[in-house]
Amino acid sequence: MQKTLLSLLITASSLLLSACQPPSEKTDTPDPVTSAQTDKKASTPTLIEARTAKELTTSIVELSEGKLRDQLICSKLDDRMQAISNKSKIEDLHSIQRQLKACLPTAINSEALAWLGTYQAMYRRFLQSDTYHDDDAFYAIVEILDKGEKASVTQLKQVAPRTRYLISLVESNADVSILYIGEGIFIFHHDLQAMADIFTPYLPRDQAEFIERMAIDNQDIFWNDAAVAISYEELLKRAAFWENYIQQYPNSYFIQDAISLFTLYRYVLFLGSDNSQWLDDDISEFVRPEYEQTLKKLAKRSNTLLAQDARTLLDFMALSAAEREQSYPVPKADEEGYEISDWAAPRYQLNKALSLPSPWKNDNHRDCLSGIVCVDYDY
């Protein structure tokens, strides 16, 4: 009996330390599984309040039951997120957010990352609609919302019920917005910073920095009809961030996605895209003075890959046509057998001079431009 009581007291002492920690933040609308325990907890003395061996035993049993109950809830969290669809309500998401905040502090890293991916996919399903948002009725509502006003009942009746519900979330500032993605198409979009804030406190520094940057960069679109939708200076900032990230965290969980992002931003920074060109047809002048200023500043930086690329580009621009032809002769056809036009010739030569890896030639079929983590394209 004495040994049993001694063992009980030792267990109580260790549990007392965790019981003395500040309670977790309460919410105004607790989950049913939480509220169901309220009456029972109120009548059970805590470890600190226990005065007899019976009360101490009861408190220990209650604490153990609570931990087991929390573990069970967390084990079912992934299933709950998977059950969210475009028929769900925002209250369902709020319930999951509360559970995440309760489960993440004790989760292992692989579990937290798995929940992160599931949570992002869950929110995308939640914001999906059965119809495209490209009709005049929806455009009219977008114009009203852009003015900070609310759509009328008559206007709302002209769109689908789910669209109507999502618009109500936008109007109530529920971390939902309407995003233009080009070619006359709009989508409902989640506040990525709000999503990141749930997970980053419980992730290692390299993972938290990756997610924070993704939340900033992907809140708006990067591409708009094959044109770059951000400023040239912002493009450089992104390329520089990912170059530094790769150097600082070479063993990061997200290293392959970071390399893909650096490859994309680096390539577009110097070679542009189909509908975004930084240089004239002859590649002898910048089409805007701010592009030239940005590249010349970059060329003066320390010996990074981007700085080397900038110096290579400026040196190439200074070459005469004869010097270019001598250093980078242009064949009659490219690698795919297509004839190289007069416009394409200097671009072919610049490609040879820079020798940048193409983000499309070695495409890993990952979408890194729309969420806080990259995902495989859903073809």
Side-chain angles (χ1 to χ4, degrees):
M1 178 65 182
Q2 290 178 344
K3 289 183 179 180
T4 302
L5 182 58
L6 178 60
S7 176
L8 188 63
L9 289 171
I10 292 172
T11 303
S13 298
S14 62
L15 292 173
L16 184 60
L17 293 173
S18 59
C20 291
Q21 299 299 316
S24 59
E25 184 180 351
K26 296 182 179 179
T27 60
D28 294 332
T29 55
D31 295 320
V33 68
T34 304
S35 59
Q37 305 296 327
T38 302
D39 294 339
K40 188 174 181 180
K41 286 185 177 180
S43 61
T44 303
T46 65
L47 289 175
I48 298 175
E49 296 169 343
R51 294 292 180 267
T52 66
K54 181 178 180 180
E55 289 181 348
L56 185 61
T57 302
T58 302
S59 298
I60 294 172
V61 170
E62 280 294 305
L63 188 58
S64 299
E65 287 180 352
K67 288 186 175 180
L68 288 173
R69 184 175 60 252
D70 290 344
Q71 291 176 0
L72 179 61
I73 292 172
C74 294
S75 70
K76 299 295 183 181
L77 182 53
D78 190 80
D79 292 338
R80 284 204 64 193
M81 287 192 283
Q82 295 282 6
I84 295 294
S85 70
N86 61 353
K87 302 292 189 297
S88 302
K89 299 296 183 182
I90 193 66
E91 290 77 16
D92 300 323
L93 272 62
H94 289 164
S95 176
I96 287 173
Q97 289 167 357
R98 289 193 293 271
Q99 288 191 22
L100 277 169
K101 291 176 181 178
C103 295
L104 279 169
T106 57
I108 60 176
N109 184 246
S110 59
E111 194 171 33
L113 290 172
W115 285 341
L116 172 56
T118 304
Y119 184 84
Q120 178 173 278
M122 173 203 76
Y123 230 113
R124 287 183 176 180
R125 290 195 307 274
F126 175 77
L127 295 176
Q128 284 178 349
S129 178
D130 296 331
T131 58
Y132 282 105
H133 309 300
D134 58 355
D135 55 89
D136 291 339
F138 186 79
Y139 292 159
I141 292 176
V142 171
E143 290 181 6
I144 291 292
L145 296 178
D146 284 343
K147 296 176 182 178
E149 302 172 3
K150 289 191 175 184
S152 67
V153 174
T154 302
Q155 288 176 312
L156 291 172
K157 286 182 178 180
Q158 297 178 37
V159 297
R162 184 63 182 180
T163 301
R164 196 180 309 148
Y165 176 71
L166 295 175
I167 289 172
S168 73
L169 298 182
V170 175
E171 293 179 330
S172 61
N173 298 316
D175 292 338
V176 177
S177 60
I178 297 175
L179 177 66
Y180 179 71
I181 60 173
E183 299 183 359
I185 300 175
F186 292 85
I187 62 170
F188 286 95
H189 194 45
H190 179 46
D191 182 347
L192 296 183
Q193 188 60 57
M195 184 183 294
D197 288 345
I198 295 174
F199 292 91
T200 51
Y202 310 104
L203 296 175
R205 184 174 178 178
D206 66 297
Q207 296 175 9
E209 284 192 23
F210 181 95
I211 289 167
E212 285 283 353
R213 185 70 197 192
M214 292 282 280
I216 294 170
D217 290 350
N218 294 341
Q219 192 60 50
D220 210 337
I221 59 174
F222 176 70
W223 293 116
N224 184 357
D225 189 23
V228 177
I230 61 175
S231 70
Y232 194 66
E233 185 175 0
E234 173 62 23
L235 180 58
L236 171 57
K237 287 180 180 179
R238 294 189 187 188
F241 174 86
W242 291 114
E243 180 177 23
N244 181 69
Y245 183 93
I246 293 166
Q247 294 172 348
Q248 189 172 1
Y249 304 113
N251 299 315
S252 171
Y253 175 86
F254 294 116
I255 188 62
Q256 291 304 318
D257 290 332
I259 291 173
S260 294
L261 284 161
F262 174 60
T263 300
L264 170 66
Y265 291 131
R266 180 190 183 192
Y267 187 93
V268 177
L269 178 67
F270 295 104
L271 297 174
S273 68
D274 289 348
N275 292 332
S276 290
Q277 292 294 315
W278 323 121
L279 303 160
D280 64 2
D281 289 348
D282 295 329
I283 307 190
S284 57
E285 293 183 2
F286 290 91
V287 296
R288 291 187 180 180
E290 58 264 32
Y291 301 161
E292 181 177 10
Q293 293 168 7
T294 299
L295 256 294
K296 286 185 174 180
K297 286 181 182 179
L298 174 60
K300 294 178 181 178
R301 293 185 185 179
S302 58
N303 201 30
T304 64
L305 283 176
L306 292 176
Q308 292 175 24
D309 293 338
R311 289 192 285 271
T312 299
L313 173 58
L314 294 173
D315 289 343
F316 177 86
M317 294 175 68
L319 294 176
S320 66
E323 290 172 326
R324 293 181 185 183
E325 183 61 30
Q326 183 177 5
S327 299
Y328 313 104
V330 180
K332 292 182 178 180
D334 62 18
E335 295 175 355
E336 298 179 357
Y338 294 103
E339 182 181 354
I340 298 178
S341 65
D342 292 340
W343 181 89
R347 280 153 185 78
Y348 174 89
Q349 292 173 317
L350 179 58
N351 264 296
K352 292 298 182 181
L354 288 169
S355 191
L356 299 180
S358 169
W360 296 284
K361 185 168 291 188
N362 299 313
D363 189 6
N364 57 5
H365 306 291
R366 300 268 286 171
D367 174 14
C368 292
L369 299 177
S370 61
I372 60 173
V373 290
C374 303
V375 295
D376 293 334
Y377 281 111
D378 184 16
Y379 293 107

